[in-house]
Each structure stands twice: as C-alpha cells, then as structure tokens.
C-alpha cells in the first residue's frame, strides 16, 4: 500500500461518488449533474452524491498530487483531520455522512436502528446490516420535498381505517375493533394497538399475498374512479402502478404526508418509519448505511426486525426552519455526530471563522466562494465541495459573487 502523506492545515477539495439508485432523477430532470455541471448520461439515475468517508463509497482528496480515499487518510491521521475531541469520541472515522439526494420516484419506506440495535443486527447479519452504527438523519429541502414521516396521530389512524374499508377488511375485524374502540386508551396502550395493527399488516401480507393483491386491487379500482383524488391517493395510485402488490402501499395512508419548502428540514431518529417521495435535498446522517425496509421496494425485507425496531410514536413530525446565526441558518438536532448550516452571502462579503478543532465539509450550491488561509486560497463554484480539517485553526471565506452553501460540522 502506498504511504499516505501527512495532511496540511488547509482545505482539501473533495471528489465525491454518485450512487445510481433506481429512484434517482434522470435525463433533463437529473439534479445532481446540473449541480455538478456535468452532462447526464442517458438512462442513468442520479440518486445520491456522497460527501464523506463511508467505506462503501468514500470521497477522495489529493495529497501531494496523489488521490487517496478520505477514510484511509482519517485512519492514518485521525487527529489532523478530526481533531483530538472528535477522534476520542468517535474513533478514527468521520462521524457524519453528507449527501445530496435527488428523488424522482419514491424511496423505499424504511426505518433505522438505534445504536444498540445496530450493533446487534450487524453482529447477527453483516450482509444486510453493513454498519454497527445508528443513523439519525436530517434533510433540508433544496427546492421542495414530499415525504412520508412517522405514524399519523391516533385519531387520524382510526379515521384512515374507516375511510379505507379495503385495509380494514385485510386486517380483520379484531385488529380494527381494538383500534377503533380504543377511545380512552393511554398513549402506551395506543402504541400497543398500533404495533398490533402494523405487525398484523406485514405478517398477513407475507402469508397471504393473494389477499393483499385483492385488497390493493379493490382500493385501486375505487380510488381510480374518484374525480378529485387527494395527494396521498395520487401517491398511492402512482406507486401501485410501479410496485404492484407491495404492502408498503398501505403505509402511504398510515404515515404523515409532509411537504417541505426550500430551507425547511426534518430530523428523523431511530425507529421512525419514513420515505422520501420526491424532491431535491441535502441530507446529513451519522456515518451508517443501515436500512430496514418496510415497503415500496423489491429489495430485501426483514419484517420481524422491522416491527420490533419501530417505536410506534404517533403524530405529525416537527418541521425545522433553522435559527439564524452569523450569516447562516443553523439546524439544531439531538444528533451528536453532525450539525447542518445553510449559508447565504452577498457578493464581496468576507468572514473569518474558527474551526474549533473540528472537521467540516462545505458544499457550494450557488455562486462562487473563495476560501483563504495563511498560505493559500481555493475558489469553489456551484457543486464543488471541500473538507476543512481540524488542524486548520481558522479559515476566511470571501463571496466572489452572491453565493449559497451548506456546511456540516460536529457540534461541540
Ligand atoms: Zn432514512
């Protein structure tokens, strides 16, 4: 193996891998090629751009004219890149993974394990659970985002069962009665009833696929005949045409349909079911790729794990608008691994920032931003990104035009 030169205290440009997952935007619609200023190849879905050091697809940096995987550089020089405190807390790995995500079609409905569950799953089944880490995630809409996040509030779930007799019939009388006659239940009991519903739904779907197909078929016929379908019904009909007899189609009515505008964010923690349906976002998460799928996917599903990982909390998720601070909007979340900032600068604005001996990744999303440090400068245009290592004590930025960027760091 070639030896890795010591990183210097300066920003390093990142070269980032693109993930061609099938749900990504394509052709003229493809957002990631437009952001990067590259042509979109015909037939290729451009789903995710990964900025970070995940072993599955690490970014690359140039040290003394040679390209190295960022995870290898961090393993060799944890203190230089991460700083003492972050290296002590998280080991020799970047704690976060930063992404641009562009969904032309729904992603699978999914849930992520908490740290203890992730360790257990990874030890038991490393093929399907590649990381021993949890995956709290925050998504900020670059233009807009439509997503399913978390179970609806209990009264709404009861309404859903009344409005969808096809689902009620499929679940069976007992489950429906337990839910609809549960008026004065405590929150804990409501969760137990929801768990019963969701577990029954998934197990029946697996055991009696013909009954699932019949229920979905009946619902499709009824909804297709409606003249003014709701947004959830439109999502259902579109997904039904693509996925056929997929139990996740019922989840479209059990989960909250969330619509984010530019700059709005949602934070999703362990045990909360979610699916991004459409839109372009920046997303930051703990450095993990652990996913348990609940539907809208032809991929591997683990129903037993799924139904035990869910926390069955109910209600509409908080939409974060972020808090303004020194020319940036900061999205505070409980995640210890990352904090996202959205910066906007007028042409000519200059700012000096301390790095607090913590690593940062900055992605410019509009305009031109120059980074200056004692012995050099680097100019970034739209789509370009840098790693600022912890060993650089401070960095100055100058907006050469009006510009916007996203910055991710590890909170103190
Ligand atoms: Zn997720």
């Amino acid at each position: 193996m070639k030896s890795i030169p010591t990183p210097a205290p300066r920003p390093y440009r990142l070269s980032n891998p693109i993930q061609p997952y099938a749900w990504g935007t394509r052709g003229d619609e493809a957002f990631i090629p437009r952001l990067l200023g590259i042509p979109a190849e015909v037939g290729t879905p451009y789903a995710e751009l990964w900025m970070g050091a995940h072993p599955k697809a690490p970014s690359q940096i140039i040290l003394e004219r040679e390209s190295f995987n960022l995870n290898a550089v961090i393993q060799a020089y944890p203190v230089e890149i991460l700083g003492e405190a972050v290296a002590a807390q998280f080991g020799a790995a970047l704690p976060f993974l930063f992404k641009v995500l562009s969904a032309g079609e729904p992603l699978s409905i999914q849930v992520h394990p908490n740290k203890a569950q992730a360790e257990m799953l990874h030890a038991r089944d490393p093929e399907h659970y590649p990381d021993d880490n949890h995956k709290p995630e925050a998504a900020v809409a670059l233009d807009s985002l439509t997503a399913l996040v978390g179970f609806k509030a209990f009264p709404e779930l009861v309404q859903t069962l009344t409005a969808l007799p096809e689902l009620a019939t499929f679940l069976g009388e007992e489950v429906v009665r337990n839910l609809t006659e549960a008026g004065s239940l405590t929150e804990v009991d409501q969760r137990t009833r929801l768990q019963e519903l969701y577990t029954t739904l998934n197990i029946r779907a697996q055991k009696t696929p013909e009954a699932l197909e019949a229920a979905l078929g009946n619902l499709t016929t009824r909804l297709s005949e409606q003249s003014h379908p709701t947004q959830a019904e439109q999502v259902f009909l579109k997904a039904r045409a693509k996925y056929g007899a997929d139990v996740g189609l019922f989840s479209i009515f059990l989960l909250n349909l969330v619509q984010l505008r530019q700059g709005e964010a949602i934070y999703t923690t362990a045990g909360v079911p979610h699916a991004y349906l459409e839109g372009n976002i920046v997303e930051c998460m703990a450095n993990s790729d652990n996913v348990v799928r609940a539907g809208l996917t032809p991929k591997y599903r683990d129903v037993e794990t799924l139904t035990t990982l869910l926390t069955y909390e109910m209600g509409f998720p908080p939409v974060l608008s972020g808090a303004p601070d020194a020319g940036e909007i900061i999205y505070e979340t409980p995640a210890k691994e990352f904090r996202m900032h959205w910066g906007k600068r007028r042409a000519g604005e200059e700012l000096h920032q301390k790095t607090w001996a913590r690593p940062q990744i900055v992605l410019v999303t509009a305009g031109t931003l120059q980074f200056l440090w004692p012995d050099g400068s680097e100019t970034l245009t739209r789509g370009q990104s840098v790693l600022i290592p912890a060993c650089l004590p401070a960095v100055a930025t100058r907006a050469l035009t009006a510009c916007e960027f996203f910055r991710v760091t590890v909170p103190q």
Side-chain angles (χ1 to χ4, degrees), residues 99 107-108 110-112 135-137 268 272 274-276 283 285 290-291:
K99 294 180 182 176
L107 280 71
S108 53
Q110 53 190 257
V111 61
H112 306 298
K135 190 173 177 265
E137 58 191 37
T268 311
V272 177
H274 59 283
Y276 301 137
E283 191 189 25
M285 64 210 67
N290 277 330
V291 175

Side-chain angles (χ1 to χ4, degrees), residues 119-180:
E119 282 168 12
M120 192 259 299
L121 288 169
H122 177 68
R124 201 178 69 193
D125 183 0
E127 188 201 334
H128 291 115
Y129 304 104
D131 298 290
D132 63 359
N133 202 3
H134 64 168
K135 190 173 177 265
E137 58 191 37
V140 182
L142 285 168
D143 39 35
S144 65
L145 174 70
T146 310
L148 296 167
V149 186
F151 287 106
K152 288 178 175 174
F154 195 78
E156 285 180 66
L157 289 172
V158 174
Q159 259 173 23
T160 298
L161 285 181
T162 317
L164 299 181
E166 298 84 359
L167 172 59
T169 308
F170 180 69
L171 287 168
E173 254 173 63
E174 195 188 330
V175 174
V176 174
R177 199 178 334 112
N178 282 347
L179 210 86
T180 50

